[in-house]
Amino acid sequence: MLLIISACNTSNVNSNVADEQKEEGEKTVQYTTITDEQVEIPADPKRVVYIGQTIGDFLAMDIPVVGNNLPKEPASYYEGKLEGIVDIGNPADLETILTLKPDLIINGYYKADPNLNEELAKIATTIPFNPALPYTERVKEIGNILGKQGEVAQVIAKFETRFKEMFEKFQLAEGETATVFYQLGKTLYVMGDRSLGAIIYGENGFAVPPAVQKNIIDVEGVSFVTVSEEVLSQFAGDHLFVIVQEDDESESEADRLLQSPIWRTLPAVQKGNVYVIANEWNTDELLALEQLYKKLPEWMHKQ
């Protein structure tokens, strides 16, 4: 009789624990999306599908991403980090996502395809996300979504300290400017304060050339503009970062640009302040930042 009572009590305890664990796993919180919608999301999601190109933020913070539209040619800083994440296709194959049984979908392509957002919502709670934000704003939003505000604050503070120390070593003069050019095929772009620009124009960093400020940063919804060689001098700062897409046409066109008479007249070129960079570093993802604050001094020969 005692054994039976004991067994019943143990069974009840185990049942209560299981119920509590289940209830804990099903806890939700209210979240206001970037489109000002109120939704209930898991308080502690365990299977996140992220649709977007800034997967490095999630990886750096050890967020359990089970699916992503993985890059076809992963950057060097992704090495060994993408194992276990299922490629859901570009931008997303619904059947693949369904098999992953996500408890939360974060959709960075919500503007590009509103219909996709509706279909994703049938699989799991889906929230819109803007991967084009500068890393501080983008990572804060991730913290808000996943309840990791404290952790995010520490991460941002860490990188702000690292880059401040780096720029202090550069001993930049007040108002010393820089420009980020991007060669894609035959087209040359000037970049604003996104991706690599978010780093070099950050606090304690380079000043923004007036033409970049006026034509890109001050214009809502504009992250870059195309430029011809004739107007290079208007955008060129004291330092020039030239990002080159890794394909034959882009590399050939970049070589032609760097040898052109107009390019050679730029003061930054004459002073040797030109840094040609592979396209993989045109980013401000957290995973890249782990190396970028070391790479910048190398590029600028200021180790």
Side-chain angles (χ1 to χ4, degrees):
M1 181 68 73
L2 288 173
L3 288 173
I4 294 172
I5 292 172
S6 177
C8 289
N9 287 339
T10 302
S11 175
N12 290 335
V13 169
N14 289 338
S15 176
N16 290 338
V17 170
D19 290 342
E20 287 174 8
Q21 289 175 339
K22 181 179 179 183
E23 184 181 341
E24 182 72 21
E26 293 176 351
K27 277 187 179 177
T28 60
V29 293
Q30 285 291 321
Y31 170 73
T32 303
T33 71
I34 56 176
T35 53
D36 287 327
E37 297 176 75
Q38 284 282 334
V39 294
E40 280 193 358
I41 62 175
D44 185 22
K46 301 296 185 186
R47 300 184 61 80
V48 176
V49 166
Y50 170 57
I51 305 171
Q53 297 180 337
T54 51
I55 183 67
D57 294 338
F58 295 82
L59 296 174
M61 296 176 63
D62 294 323
I63 293 167
V65 174
V66 295
N68 173 252
N69 49 318
L70 295 174
K72 287 188 174 14
E73 297 180 5
S76 58
Y77 44 83
Y78 285 133
E79 187 174 352
K81 302 287 187 179
L82 299 174
E83 296 173 6
I85 299 176
V86 174
D87 187 358
I88 60 172
N90 193 13
D93 179 75
L94 295 173
E95 289 186 9
T96 302
I97 294 174
L98 186 61
T99 64
L100 295 175
K101 299 179 180 179
D103 50 9
L104 182 66
I105 301 173
I106 300 175
N107 183 13
Y109 288 174
Y110 73 99
K111 284 186 177 179
D113 188 354
N115 292 329
L116 174 62
N117 210 64
E118 292 181 13
E119 294 301 318
L120 291 170
K122 296 175 183 177
I123 299 174
T125 301
T126 302
I127 57 175
F129 181 75
N130 183 2
L133 293 171
Y135 86 93
T136 50
E137 296 178 37
R138 192 175 66 240
V139 176
K140 283 178 183 176
E141 186 64 17
I142 293 173
N144 292 336
I145 294 169
L146 300 170
K148 294 179 178 285
Q149 292 89 341
E151 183 179 332
V152 163
Q154 291 177 357
V155 168
I156 291 174
K158 177 182 72 173
F159 284 116
E160 285 180 344
T161 298
R162 285 179 176 176
F163 281 99
K164 180 183 178 182
E165 291 172 350
M166 178 193 72
F167 280 117
E168 284 175 351
K169 290 178 182 177
F170 289 174
Q171 296 182 326
L172 301 178
E174 186 174 351
E176 195 166 347
T177 59
T179 306
V180 181
F181 291 106
Y182 179 38
Q183 186 74 57
L184 177 60
K186 291 184 178 297
T187 306
L188 183 66
Y189 298 90
V190 177
M191 313 301 290
D193 59 349
R194 296 292 186 269
S195 299
L196 181 61
I199 304 305
I200 70 164
Y201 296 138
E203 190 176 356
N204 307 299
F206 291 100
V208 181
V212 175
Q213 186 73 44
K214 177 182 177 182
N215 294 283
I216 304 175
I217 296 175
D218 288 346
V219 182
E220 187 176 352
V222 174
S223 299
F224 53 84
V225 295
T226 59
V227 288
S228 62
E229 291 183 27
E230 289 72 25
V231 298
L232 282 176
S233 60
Q234 297 177 27
F235 289 90
D238 299 313
H239 297 261
L240 306 178
F241 294 86
V242 183
I243 300 167
V244 182
Q245 180 72 26
E246 293 167 327
D247 61 64
D248 291 342
E249 185 179 48
S250 301
E251 290 169 356
S252 175
E253 195 64 22
D255 288 341
R256 187 199 63 77
L257 171 69
L258 297 176
Q259 298 301 321
S260 68
I262 292 177
W263 181 262
R264 290 180 176 180
T265 65
L266 299 176
V269 177
Q270 294 175 354
K271 293 177 182 177
N273 295 337
V274 177
Y275 323 109
V276 181
I277 302 167
N279 178 55
E280 68 175 354
W281 297 106
N282 185 30
T283 181
D284 62 348
E285 287 184 51
L286 291 185
L287 205 60
L289 296 190
E290 293 282 3
Q291 299 179 40
L292 196 51
Y293 78 96
K294 299 176 184 176
K295 290 285 184 182
L296 266 168
E298 290 177 6
W299 298 333
M300 297 176 65
H301 313 295
K302 293 188 176 185
Q303 292 92 331

